[in-house]
Amino acid sequence: DADVTQTPRNRITKTGKRIMLECSQTKGHDRMYWYRQDPGLGLRLIYYSFDVKDINKGEISDGYSVSRQAQAKFSLSLESAIPNQTALYFCATSDLLRGHEQFFGPGTRLTVL
Amino acid sequence: DQQVKQNSPSLSVQEGRISILNCDYTNSMFDYFLWYKKYPAEGPTFLISISSIKDKNEDGRFTVFLNKSAKHLSLHIVPSQPGDSAVYFCAAKRIIQGAQKLVFGQGTRLTINP
């Protein structure tokens, strides 16, 4: 079984809709991250969380919100989706001692029409 | 402001030869550098890393070289194998407000030809 899972894997939605992307992990890591990947831009950090009570904005948090429901679950929400949020979204985890080594989920491909 | 740059979007190499992927950075505060490998429909996976206090780290067929004066690092794969065909992301770590953060390059698509 995969250590970091993401649902859904693919989603097509319309402008203005609310969308939630979910991430679960069985690695027992405290730290969780949400990234988006766009062609030619690499991965950019949206939000990160170092424990259930700790939520921090990344470099591109506008238009997004997150919820850390438990140590193992970290959700990303788009309150009102817009076309330029069309991207590949990745969840990742890491532990305290080796924060540079992050473990990624398989990604969610989101298309906003 | 792209602090980590991979200027080659793609690279094609013959099987058995050396693959060299390059990465440049601008921020002297980065203290760790990493390479991630990504296959289609999968998330990136950690490949190899190097601390800023070293200039070389080797792991099997993979070697990462760091040239701090030039703010440049490279990943060497020898010999290249078909399974190495993937997108490779360079990443750099720094501490910002007590938190470790990774900054990724744009990625280089490596194709190994038989």
Side-chain angles (χ1 to χ4, degrees), chain A residues 49-68:
Chain A
S49 169
F50 284 177
D51 65 41
V52 174
K53 298 179 182 179
D54 177 77
I55 301 288
N56 303 280
K57 292 182 178 181
E59 56 180 307
I60 53 163
S61 59
D62 287 349
Y64 301 95
S65 62
V66 290
S67 173
R68 186 80 184 267

Side-chain angles (χ1 to χ4, degrees), chain A residues 27-112:
Chain A
K27 299 191 74 66
H29 290 166
D30 289 326
R31 301 179 173 207
M32 299 187 74
Y33 311 80
W34 275 105
Y35 291 91
R36 66 177 276 176
Q37 183 191 354
D38 298 276
L41 293 178
L43 285 82
R44 293 181 292 165
L45 183 63
I46 306 172
Y47 270 95
Y48 62 100
S49 169
F50 284 177
D51 65 41
V52 174
K53 298 179 182 179
D54 177 77
I55 301 288
N56 303 280
K57 292 182 178 181
E59 56 180 307
I60 53 163
S61 59
D62 287 349
Y64 301 95
S65 62
V66 290
S67 173
R68 186 80 184 267
Q69 303 95 321
Q71 188 208 32
K73 296 184 182 296
F74 193 35
S75 301
L76 175 72
S77 293
L78 288 68
E79 297 301 326
S80 180
I82 56 176
N84 77 359
Q85 291 177 313
T86 293
L88 190 52
Y89 290 84
F90 290 103
C91 173
T93 73
S94 69
D95 68 21
L96 174 63
L97 295 178
R98 292 179 60 83
H100 59 276
E101 185 176 344
Q102 297 184 7
F103 296 82
F104 286 81
T108 294
R109 184 167 296 281
L110 177 66
T111 302
V112 183

